[in-house]
Amino acid sequence: MEEKHVRTRAYQHSLSGSTLPPGETLLQVSDLSLRFGGVKALTDVNLTVESGTIHSIIGPNGAGKSSLLNCVSGLYKATAGQIMLHRQGKQGKSTENRRPADLEAKDLSRLPPHRVARLGVARSFQNIELFDQLSVLDNIMLGRHIHTKKDPFMAMLWFGPAKRQEIRQRELVEEVIHLLKLQEYRNQPVGALAYGIQKRVELGRALAMQPALLLLDEPMAGMNVEEKEDMARYILDIHELAGLTVVLIEHDMSVVMDISNRVTVLDFGKVIGDGTPTEVMENPKVIEAYLGAGE
Amino acid sequence: MVMAAVQTGRYHRSYKSELRLWNTTPQITRMIILAIVLVLIPLVFDNYWMALFNTALIASIGAIGLNILVGFTGQISLGQGGFLAVGAFTSAILTDRMGVPVFFSILGAVLLTAAVGMIFGLPALRLKGLYLAIATLASQMVIIFIVRRWEFLTEGQGFVDVMRLEVFGFSITRANFEQQWYMILLVITIIAAFIATNIFRTGVGRSFMAVRDQDIAASAIGVNLTRAKITAFGVSNGFVGLAGALMAHYTEIVSWERFTLDISIQYLAMIIVGGLGSVAGSIYGATFITLLPVLTRMAADELGGVAPALRQQLPAFEHAIFGLTIIVFLIFEPKGLNRIWERIKEYFRYWPFRY
């Protein structure tokens, strides 16, 4: 076996599923309201997420941050309003001579979660929701679900397409494992892993979907400073490597101010501030929500 | 030959090699030895034991089916007896009254049972856990009620006679009845186990397990819960239908008494004892539960001299042992015989070192 040239390794797969150029509107939430009986979880929320940014959503406890994320990912059905996900149409995938006509928008607010996922919206959960009995590898392989053929008869046969598909998916999954440094846990059941590692596996599972939009619900909750720094590094890595658009819910203000391009502040289900981190910091309404009214 | 028993580690140079079921020389050697033993069994045991093994093989297929649903997908089913009945009656009626060749009648039984399973699986879309168990209990009751009352099925005699098996021009002889059936059932069981294993090393099976472990997260990664659950009911009951059909042709008589709720419970016991979420465990459990009453009887006979009460109260004693076995497994090894076997293998893998 002679090798003409040395084979080097690099990430073969892009982890981003969006072909929108940076700066275009990726997600547009308009007049979104959510009620549980008499409780108004969200009232007329308007929000625009631009492609290629890290967009943080902050707010005090019970402000409706997670509700908003659940609406986007289809777990909650919004009472009113629209959630439009913009994506490039089937034609004109090349970035040259792309016209606005090639863009199409889908309303996510009426879709069940698995349809939203199929459109390229991936998420992590505030309380880790992994498949406990499965290994790290299987969990991340499950992230490939929307990209796999699920014909049971093909699976029963194994030899042929099913096996080839497994190997093809595995190649991408290994890149995710490498990116998030999960190699040493690959074959361990996730239920037995430490909290911080589980959070990372959940991030990996979402990444394996090659999402257009990544929603992270408090990825650093309950971590110490070093773990938070690590996690922030991973999020920035993903963002830089794949140009992935990230919507982030986070409580730690210093993290939010450091890594996000744009911040939206929610309080009592309403948007009370929106802008760059510095703008938001100086917004009197935001200061009031966080520190209480100065009298 | 030493290499056949000892291995140092498992090293893979490609994903392909990692995906193989048996990689190392010891694993392959073990499978070859197992194959030889299985083929030699008919030469050693008499008809009584062969009948037991045949029953165990059929039960294995049924248990694999139930395990796909309960152990892998997390949807509890108490309807096993009913679904076995669907398979058995379908195949029996197709061959006996409609003259369909056995191969196709069994295939028909598999497909029909899968379809019936998918229909009775519909409550699973809304119900979980105990509530689903009760809903599937209803399916058991409904199916057995239909089987008892619908005169078309048994033409009013209460049972269906099935002809001696004849497939592709080969017919079972009276003299070697058990031995020939053993070989047929062995091959079918191995194929069934293979198919089930294949399902769970691909995306379809993984999505079933995702539904079991965390259904909200499963839907958030794009698993269509409706489709996954209904597919699981279909695939699972395909196996159960196969077991039912084989039972019909093997016992050569089909009547509803063989498919009562007791059977459903017994199958649940098989997969608990064998190991929930394990294909191999289903086979261990099925064999264990099939042989348990026989072993109990043997023990009672042996101990009859010392404690005659055991022999006199044998039926009660059998029930007690059955219940005790399940409790012991639930407490000491909830992952069943499969886990015990895996631990033994791990031990010898590192032997003489501890780790």
Side-chain angles (χ1 to χ4, degrees):
Chain A
M1 295 266 262
E2 67 168 338
E3 295 251 349
K4 286 270 166 59
H5 53 90
V6 180
R7 277 176 61 196
T8 53
R9 281 203 146 150
Y11 292 136
Q12 305 283 325
H13 306 270
S14 165
L15 293 177
S16 170
S18 173
T19 45
L20 277 185
E24 300 253 359
T25 303
L26 178 66
L27 183 79
Q28 190 159 30
V29 177
S30 33
D31 301 325
L32 191 77
S33 296
L34 176 71
R35 278 184 194 87
F36 299 109
V39 181
K40 291 177 181 175
L42 295 171
T43 316
D44 296 329
V45 171
N46 285 291
L47 178 72
T48 305
V49 178
E50 283 176 5
S51 178
T53 58
I54 295 183
H55 192 127
S56 291
I57 298 172
I58 60 171
N61 283 326
K65 307 181 295 293
S66 288
S67 296
L68 176 59
L69 229 60
N70 285 341
C71 281
V72 176
S73 64
L75 295 174
Y76 289 167
K77 290 280 157 285
T79 323
Q82 275 189 325
I83 304 164
M84 302 303 283
L85 181 76
H86 295 259
R87 34 181 228 156
Q88 202 121 41
K90 288 271 182 286
Q91 291 110 21
K93 275 214 164 155
S94 63
T95 28
E96 300 152 69
N97 55 45
R98 183 192 52 76
R99 283 160 290 116
D102 294 334
L103 294 174
E104 59 175 28
K106 292 256 175 172
D107 187 1
L108 306 181
S109 62
R110 299 282 169 270
L111 296 179
H114 66 268
R115 296 277 307 279
V116 174
R118 226 162 277 172
L119 290 172
V121 179
R123 67 167 295 169
S124 73
F125 292 86
Q126 187 174 356
N127 311 308
I128 304 167
E129 311 245 347
L130 285 167
F131 309 116
D132 285 351
Q133 297 182 43
L134 303 184
S135 65
V136 170
L137 181 62
D138 279 339
N139 266 277
I140 302 179
M141 284 292 273
L142 266 161
R144 299 299 298 155
H145 187 82
I146 54 171
H147 301 283
T148 50
K149 282 211 190 76
K150 292 161 285 271
D151 180 354
F153 295 103
M154 190 182 92
M156 289 176 188
L157 202 62
W158 175 250
F159 293 103
K163 186 175 164 189
R164 277 201 300 276
Q165 173 167 273
E166 280 300 301
I167 293 171
R168 208 169 47 240
Q169 306 294 15
R170 178 73 187 275
E171 281 164 3
L172 185 141
V173 164
E174 283 297 329
E175 291 187 6
V176 174
I177 289 178
H178 183 267
L179 179 65
L180 298 178
K181 302 195 174 54
L182 287 165
Q183 294 94 331
E184 55 185 304
Y185 312 106
R186 197 185 278 125
N187 291 315
Q188 291 183 28
V190 280
L193 293 176
Y195 180 82
I197 313 291
Q198 290 194 357
K199 280 271 183 198
R200 229 191 290 163
V201 176
E202 214 187 10
L203 179 61
R205 185 180 66 190
L207 264 185
M209 290 171 69
Q210 290 180 302
L213 175 64
L214 181 61
L215 310 173
L216 300 177
D217 195 349
E218 301 203 22
M220 300 164 208
M223 291 183 168
N224 63 28
V225 178
E226 282 139 48
E227 287 169 326
K228 276 184 187 175
E229 283 172 350
D230 269 354
M231 187 51 99
R233 190 62 245 161
Y234 287 122
I235 294 170
L236 287 171
D237 257 358
I238 292 160
H239 180 244
E240 281 165 17
L241 263 172
L244 201 57
T245 316
V246 181
V247 172
L248 181 74
I249 292 182
E250 189 45 58
H251 271 297
D252 189 320
M253 289 304 268
S254 56
V255 175
V256 170
M257 294 308 154
D258 282 351
I259 71 172
S260 29
N261 305 104
R262 203 173 172 87
V263 181
T264 301
V265 192
L266 285 180
D267 194 20
F268 295 112
K270 289 182 185 146
V271 176
I272 57 166
D274 186 86
T276 61
T278 27
E279 281 168 20
V280 165
M281 285 275 262
E282 287 156 5
N283 187 330
K285 276 192 191 162
V286 176
I287 296 168
E288 192 188 312
Y290 269 85
L291 301 175
E295 298 199 9
Chain B
M1 208 47 215
V2 176
M3 278 308 291
V6 182
Q7 61 192 12
T8 48
R10 289 168 194 165
Y11 308 103
H12 299 286
R13 297 210 51 185
S14 69
Y15 300 134
K16 203 169 137 192
S17 92
E18 203 180 328
L19 285 168
R20 279 186 203 126
L21 291 179
W22 306 293
N23 262 298
T24 53
T25 332
Q27 283 173 322
I28 293 166
T29 319
R30 206 160 56 220
M31 292 320 288
I32 292 171
I33 293 171
L34 178 67
I36 293 171
V37 169
L38 286 174
V39 171
L40 289 181
I41 276 182
L43 303 178
V44 181
F45 288 94
D46 59 10
N47 278 346
Y48 173 71
W49 281 97
M50 290 314 295
L52 281 172
F53 289 142
N54 286 338
T55 316
L57 285 174
I58 294 174
S60 300
I61 299 171
I64 290 173
L66 187 65
N67 218 340
I68 290 176
L69 193 58
V70 180
F72 286 103
T73 321
Q75 311 295 310
I76 295 178
S77 166
L78 283 172
Q80 180 82 357
F83 296 123
L84 282 169
V86 174
F89 275 96
T90 309
S91 194
I93 290 169
L94 281 179
T95 38
D96 247 47
R97 229 171 295 155
M98 304 182 182
V100 178
V102 173
F103 179 80
F104 293 103
S105 78
I106 292 180
L107 192 66
V110 170
L111 296 177
L112 185 72
T113 316
V116 171
M118 284 157 100
I119 293 167
F120 280 105
L122 290 175
L125 304 181
R126 293 294 170 91
L127 302 175
K128 280 188 198 173
L130 269 181
Y131 302 98
L132 179 62
I134 299 298
T136 53
L137 180 63
S139 71
Q140 162 84 27
M141 296 305 173
V142 168
I143 292 173
I144 295 303
F145 178 81
I146 292 173
V147 166
R148 287 180 69 177
R149 297 300 172 93
W150 193 12
E151 296 209 332
F152 160 79
L153 292 179
T154 62
E155 291 176 322
Q157 12 172 19
F159 59 88
V160 184
D161 265 319
V162 186
M163 285 177 292
R164 184 136 298 171
L165 184 79
E166 200 184 312
V167 61
F168 298 136
F170 167 80
S171 52
I172 297 269
T173 60
R174 179 184 262 281
N176 291 320
F177 180 83
E178 301 290 355
Q179 285 74 14
Q180 287 173 342
W181 260 109
Y182 174 81
M183 293 313 286
I184 293 173
L185 290 175
L186 185 64
V187 171
I188 297 178
T189 309
I190 290 171
I191 294 172
F194 242 124
I195 289 176
T197 310
N198 288 345
I199 293 174
F200 292 101
R201 48 182 178 157
T202 54
V204 188
R206 235 182 265 120
S207 73
F208 290 178
M209 294 188 275
V211 172
R212 170 193 66 192
D213 281 359
Q214 192 62 261
D215 53 353
I216 292 175
S219 68
I221 56 163
V223 176
N224 183 342
L225 294 183
T226 308
R227 194 174 137 179
K229 284 180 183 173
I230 295 298
T231 314
F233 266 92
V235 171
S236 155
N237 284 306
F239 284 86
V240 178
L242 176 63
L246 290 171
M247 207 187 270
H249 291 283
Y250 172 67
T251 57
E252 300 184 347
I253 185 165
V254 186
S255 69
W256 67 269
E257 287 99 336
R258 291 172 180 277
F259 306 108
T260 52
L261 184 61
D262 283 14
I263 299 296
S264 304
I265 307 284
Q266 228 179 54
Y267 271 88
L268 277 178
M270 286 174 193
I271 59 173
I272 290 171
V273 168
L276 288 168
S278 149
V279 174
S282 316
I283 299 173
Y284 306 151
T287 313
F288 187 87
I289 295 289
T290 312
L291 296 183
L292 187 63
V294 182
L295 299 176
T296 315
R297 219 168 303 149
M298 283 168 64
D301 281 343
E302 291 294 318
L303 295 171
V306 192
L310 283 184
R311 206 155 33 182
Q312 286 151 18
Q313 298 295 329
L314 189 60
F317 185 51
E318 272 175 15
H319 278 115
I321 292 283
F322 179 74
L324 190 67
T325 312
I326 298 175
I327 293 172
V328 166
F329 268 97
L330 283 177
I331 294 174
F332 294 106
E333 190 49 274
K335 287 183 177 166
L337 289 167
N338 181 55
R339 183 76 197 102
I340 295 176
W341 175 230
E342 268 173 13
R343 271 213 302 270
I344 294 171
K345 281 192 287 193
E346 280 298 284
Y347 177 81
F348 280 105
R349 192 179 153 202
Y350 298 115
W351 189 85
F353 304 108
R354 293 288 296 282
Y355 50 84

